[in-house]
């Protein structure tokens, strides 16, 4: 699948590479303005050509470029909920709001559905006690919406994966793999007994995509 993942947090984009990068053609983007650009046909085509250049091949004859103007381009668009707002259309007064963190995910999801993506998700790791925008998703978690033919979910309930390269001695058991309590040894829940955990975790986008594909 041709997948676009939008998130302003670097570790969540690294997690996208880890959980989707192997199986799919993945593009990641970290800003609101860039996301709008990539959700347009022109932006998408530029991205295809960039990818071709990266792999030192002639991309001008790629099937993705020769599709009809009305054909969908991204198969799946998975995005964050809260991100710094972009500059689009802003001038004067409006510029004061540019860069402020807003729940832009809703609009990006609708944009993605409109562009023909078949699978759309908005996923936040913000604790629902810490931001009303996250709490708004409490009753929507993993309900599957049909928007313009796209399957769409909005969720604040997500799994995370440890970011490769940030492995360290488990902070729960100090590397022992087990925790002693009342003379009994229990397997450490944090590292599942391995003695290793991660300094950084990111969203498990692979599971989010699975949730979209599995449900009818
Ligand atoms: Zn542990």
């Amino acid at each position: 699948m041709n997948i676009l993942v939008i998130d302003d947090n670097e570790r969540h984009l690294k997690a996208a590479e880890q959980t989707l990068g192997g199986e799919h053609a993945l593009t990641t983007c970290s800003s609101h303005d860039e996301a709008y650009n990539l959700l347009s046909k022109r932006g998408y085509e530029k991205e295809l050509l960039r990818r071709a250049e990266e792999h030192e091949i002639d991309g001008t004859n790629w099937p993705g470029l020769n599709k009809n103007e009305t054909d969908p381009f991204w198969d799946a668009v998975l995005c964050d909920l809260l991100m710094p707002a972009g500059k689009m259309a802003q001038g004067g007064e409006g510029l004061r709001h540019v860069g402020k963190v807003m729940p832009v995910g809703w609009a990006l999801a609708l944009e993605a559905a409109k562009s023909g993506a078949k699978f759309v998700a908005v996923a936040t790791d913000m604790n629902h006690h810490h931001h009303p925008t996250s709490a708004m998703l409490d009753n929507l978690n993993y309900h599957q919406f049909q928007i313009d033919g796209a399957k769409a979910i909005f969720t604040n309930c997500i799994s995370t994966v440890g970011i490769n390269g940030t492995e360290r001695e488990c902070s729960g058991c100090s590397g022992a793999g087990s925790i002693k309590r009342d003379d009994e040894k229990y397997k450490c829940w944090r590292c599942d007994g391995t003695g290793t955990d991660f300094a950084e975790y990111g969203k498990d986008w692979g599971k989010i995509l699975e949730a979209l594909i599995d449900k009818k």
Side-chain angles (χ1 to χ4, degrees):
M1 275 198 257
N2 232 340
I3 302 181
L4 174 64
V5 172
I6 305 160
D7 203 300
D8 62 316
N9 192 315
E10 190 57 38
R11 63 190 163 84
H12 295 317
L13 297 185
K14 283 184 195 159
E17 297 284 351
Q18 278 179 222
T19 60
L20 299 169
E23 267 182 87
H24 304 282
L26 176 69
T27 293
T28 59
C29 118
S30 61
S31 85
H32 189 207
D33 283 325
E34 197 188 348
Y36 263 97
N37 180 38
L38 285 166
L39 284 169
S40 71
K41 182 92 176 162
R42 269 189 73 183
Y44 169 78
E45 288 184 347
K46 265 175 85 175
E47 167 62 10
L48 275 195
L49 290 172
R50 189 199 62 79
R51 266 195 220 159
E53 214 175 275
E54 196 179 76
H55 294 98
E56 292 178 346
I57 46 181
D58 177 16
T60 47
N61 288 318
W62 277 16
L65 284 175
N66 299 330
K67 282 181 174 179
N68 295 325
E69 194 55 36
T70 50
D71 281 352
F73 32 102
W74 299 107
D75 298 307
V77 177
L78 314 175
C79 70
D80 193 9
L81 176 63
L82 282 156
M83 282 176 57
K87 280 208 273 293
M88 50 185 193
Q90 300 309 302
E93 275 293 287
L95 288 173
R96 290 188 302 130
H97 303 288
V98 172
K100 286 186 186 160
V101 172
M102 295 181 196
V104 301
W106 299 102
L108 290 174
L110 294 175
E111 197 84 25
K114 187 184 149 210
S115 78
K118 297 174 217 57
F119 303 106
V120 175
V122 176
T124 181
D125 66 337
M126 175 68 78
N127 184 298
H128 68 164
H129 296 304
H130 297 170
H131 206 295
T133 295
S134 171
M136 285 176 205
L137 303 189
D138 281 353
N139 296 327
L140 306 180
N141 267 319
Y142 290 104
H143 173 81
Q144 202 166 90
F145 291 88
Q146 300 284 339
I147 305 172
D148 268 16
K151 292 178 180 179
I153 54 175
F154 300 84
T155 182
N156 62 8
C157 177
I158 54 171
S159 306
T160 55
V161 289
I163 302 301
N164 292 341
T166 71
E167 293 86 352
R168 60 173 188 186
E169 184 183 275
C170 174
S171 57
C173 62
S174 303
S178 58
I179 294 164
K180 225 175 164 187
R181 198 176 297 140
D182 303 330
D183 285 336
E184 291 267 8
K185 262 189 175 178
Y186 300 93
K187 186 158 87 172
C188 173
W189 62 269
R190 189 173 169 88
C191 63
D192 199 29
T194 63
T196 305
D197 72 349
F198 296 85
E200 285 182 19
Y201 287 81
K203 295 171 186 172
D204 189 338
W205 299 102
K207 284 223 171 96
I208 293 165
L209 184 65
E210 260 172 43
L212 275 166
I213 291 170
D214 282 354
K215 288 187 188 171
K216 298 259 155 56

